């Protein structure tokens, strides 16, 4: 499996700068928020989203250095992502993320909600200061989509009639919208043509969907140690993802267990076993592969470069997390 540090080696220095800047941007005005930010941006995340923005900036500006606006866009992208994780963890009552205690379990719910709000507000402020209306529109839409995705997930808990299309729509709102719109925004800052901007959007959309589907498969197949959160936690909380939805088509008894919200002893274990015994995981892998391959097709119009190759390799990297 390729490591993310190797994959992003062409923007390694840019990412180091990004991490330093993020801590500065959040600022020391409020000690507890600074502590939360220091903690959030200090943990070793993969920084996939800002890395994509920086790689696209380098791919679309082959003969010029990337601009301060590109760098700021990468920082805004990571801020929005982090804000959404902080809020997600409160909603999901998760005590761990990537094996590290979550903000609300380390501080409390109030601080976590405020820290998330603060990061959203600050990202909006920095976004406005880019003075680029198309980019402001793209990233503002992401913030709406994230809320829409959370609401859909909240309303569709334990709903066995959920379709794969509805699942993909929610996955777009929760994960792919940020990657798609920030990819397009990076192209807009490089002043690419409208066609290439759309290709970048579609690259990000498909990479984002593949990423989310892989995450959802890992929730069934990976151990708690690997996930940094309890395995099977999606199903347990009634969040039906691709493996469960495909599994439902083959295993009618799964519907009974889900409909009664795993109320009886051994229900959740039985449900997990039924999903693993079905073609749910295999079909989800095929779906993730389809989106990863589709993403790469949208890079065809871009000039060959090390950073473009890294964007292509990212599609393999996303899938390689399954093996």
């Amino acid at each position: 499996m390729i490591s993310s540090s190797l994959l992003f080696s062409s923007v390694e220095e840019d990412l180091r700068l990004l991490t330093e800047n993020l801590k500065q941007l959040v600022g020391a005005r409020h000690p507890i928020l600074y502590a939360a930010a220091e903690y959030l941006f200090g943990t070793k995340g993969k920084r996939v989203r800002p890395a994509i923005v920086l790689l696209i900036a380098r791919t679309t500006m082959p003969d010029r250095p990337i601009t301060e606006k590109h760098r700021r866009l990468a920082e805004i992208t990571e801020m929005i992502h982090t804000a959404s994780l902080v809020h997600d963890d409160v909603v999901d009552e998760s005590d761990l993320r990537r094996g590290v205690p979550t903000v609300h379990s380390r501080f409390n719910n109030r601080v976590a909600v405020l820290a998330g709000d603060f990061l959203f507000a600050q990202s909006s402020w920095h976004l406005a200061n880019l003075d680029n209306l198309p980019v402001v529109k793209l990233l503002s839409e992401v913030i709406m989509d994230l809320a829409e995705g959370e609401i859909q997930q909240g309303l569709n808990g334990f709903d066995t009639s959920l379709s794969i299309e509805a699942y993909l729509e929610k996955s777009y709102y929760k994960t792919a919208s940020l990657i798609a719109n920030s990819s397009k925004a990076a192209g807009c800052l490089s002043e690419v043509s409208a066609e290439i901007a759309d290709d970048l959007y579609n690259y990000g959309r498909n990479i984002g969907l593949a990423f989310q589907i892989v995450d959802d498969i890992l929730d069934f197949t990976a151990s708690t140690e690997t996930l940094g959160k309890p395995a099977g936690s999606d199903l347990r909380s009634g969040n039906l993802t691709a493996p469960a939805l495909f599994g439902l088509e083959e295993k009618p008894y799964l519907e009974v267990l889900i409909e009664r919200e795993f109320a009886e002893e051994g229900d959740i274990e039985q449900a997990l076993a039924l999903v693993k015994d079905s073609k749910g995981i295999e079909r989800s892998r095929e779906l993730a592969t389809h989106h990863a391959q589709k993403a790469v097709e949208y890079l065809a119009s871009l000039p060959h470069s090390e950073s473009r190759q890294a964007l292509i390799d990212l599609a393999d990297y996303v899938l390689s997390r399954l093996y």
Side-chain angles (χ1 to χ4, degrees):
M1 178 170 158
I2 344 159
S3 72
S4 56
S5 52
L6 200 64
L7 189 62
F8 303 145
S9 57
S10 61
V11 289
E12 187 182 1
E13 190 48 35
D14 300 326
L15 286 170
R16 195 190 56 75
L17 205 65
L18 171 119
T19 303
E20 283 315 301
N21 269 353
L22 281 170
K23 291 180 194 171
Q24 296 311 314
L25 283 179
V26 174
R29 268 186 312 184
H30 200 296
I32 198 133
L33 279 177
Y34 185 71
E38 175 98 317
Y39 172 70
L40 282 166
F41 297 125
T43 53
K44 284 312 249 179
K46 294 194 178 68
R47 306 267 186 269
V48 171
R49 289 152 187 83
I52 292 174
V53 168
L54 293 162
L55 287 168
I56 286 176
R58 291 206 174 279
T59 306
T60 50
M61 311 248 303
D63 314 318
R64 292 170 290 164
I66 61 174
T67 66
E68 282 310 307
K69 286 191 176 184
H70 282 110
R71 292 186 189 283
R72 186 48 48 92
L73 175 65
E75 290 156 10
I76 290 166
T77 300
E78 186 67 354
M79 265 188 199
I80 291 174
H81 173 56
T82 305
S84 73
L85 295 185
V86 176
H87 281 175
D88 268 6
D89 288 337
V90 175
V91 172
D92 301 341
E93 299 174 351
S94 309
D95 293 332
L96 289 177
R97 177 171 291 273
R98 301 189 189 116
V100 178
T102 50
V103 174
H104 69 89
S105 66
R106 191 151 181 250
F107 300 96
N108 59 45
N109 271 0
R110 242 176 91 210
V111 169
V113 171
L114 292 172
D117 289 349
F118 180 71
L119 284 171
F120 274 130
Q122 200 158 28
S123 64
S124 304
W125 189 80
H126 288 299
L127 187 57
N129 282 314
L130 288 176
D131 286 328
N132 185 314
L133 192 57
V135 170
V136 173
K137 285 180 176 175
L138 287 167
L139 273 287
S140 305
E141 197 167 311
V142 171
I143 297 176
M144 287 195 301
D145 286 348
L146 284 164
E148 174 71 32
E150 262 315 310
I151 291 165
Q152 279 192 12
Q153 188 166 306
L155 293 176
N156 297 331
F158 300 100
D159 179 2
T160 53
S161 67
L162 193 73
S163 65
I164 282 287
E165 289 68 38
Y167 156 76
L168 286 171
E169 182 184 47
K170 183 206 70 182
S171 301
Y172 171 76
Y173 287 140
K174 286 199 68 177
T175 303
S177 169
L178 176 59
I179 302 175
N181 286 297
S182 60
S183 294
K184 184 174 181 176
C188 291
L189 291 177
S190 305
E191 298 178 346
V192 299
S193 68
E195 294 77 35
I196 288 184
D198 285 342
D199 283 347
L200 291 170
Y201 168 86
N202 283 309
Y203 168 79
R205 180 178 180 277
N206 282 289
I207 275 283
L209 289 174
F211 204 89
Q212 186 57 55
I213 297 161
V214 166
D215 257 5
D216 294 339
I217 296 169
L218 289 174
D219 192 58
F220 285 91
T221 59
S223 66
T224 301
E225 291 72 51
T226 319
L227 289 174
K229 59 173 189 172
S233 53
D234 281 336
L235 191 59
R236 216 175 286 262
S237 64
N239 175 22
L240 305 188
T241 59
L245 294 172
F246 285 134
L248 272 164
E249 293 175 20
E250 275 175 71
K251 307 280 182 186
Y253 191 60
L254 194 52
E255 190 172 337
V256 178
L257 299 170
I258 295 168
E259 297 273 328
R260 69 175 181 225
E261 302 190 8
F262 313 119
E264 296 180 20
E265 182 93 28
D267 274 6
I268 185 72
E269 291 74 14
Q270 198 177 354
L272 289 167
L274 284 170
V275 172
K276 286 181 184 173
D277 191 43
S278 73
K279 288 200 172 69
I281 287 164
E282 190 188 325
R283 289 176 67 190
S284 302
R285 277 202 185 115
E286 285 164 9
L287 188 61
T289 305
H290 162 76
H291 285 291
Q293 288 171 344
K294 218 171 157 63
V296 173
E297 290 168 19
Y298 284 107
L299 296 172
S301 53
L302 294 167
H304 289 263
S305 66
E306 189 188 349
S307 36
R308 174 181 178 263
Q309 191 54 48
L311 290 167
I312 293 169
D313 293 341
L314 180 63
D316 287 333
Y317 167 75
V318 169
L319 297 175
S320 74
R321 292 161 63 226
L322 289 172
Y323 300 102

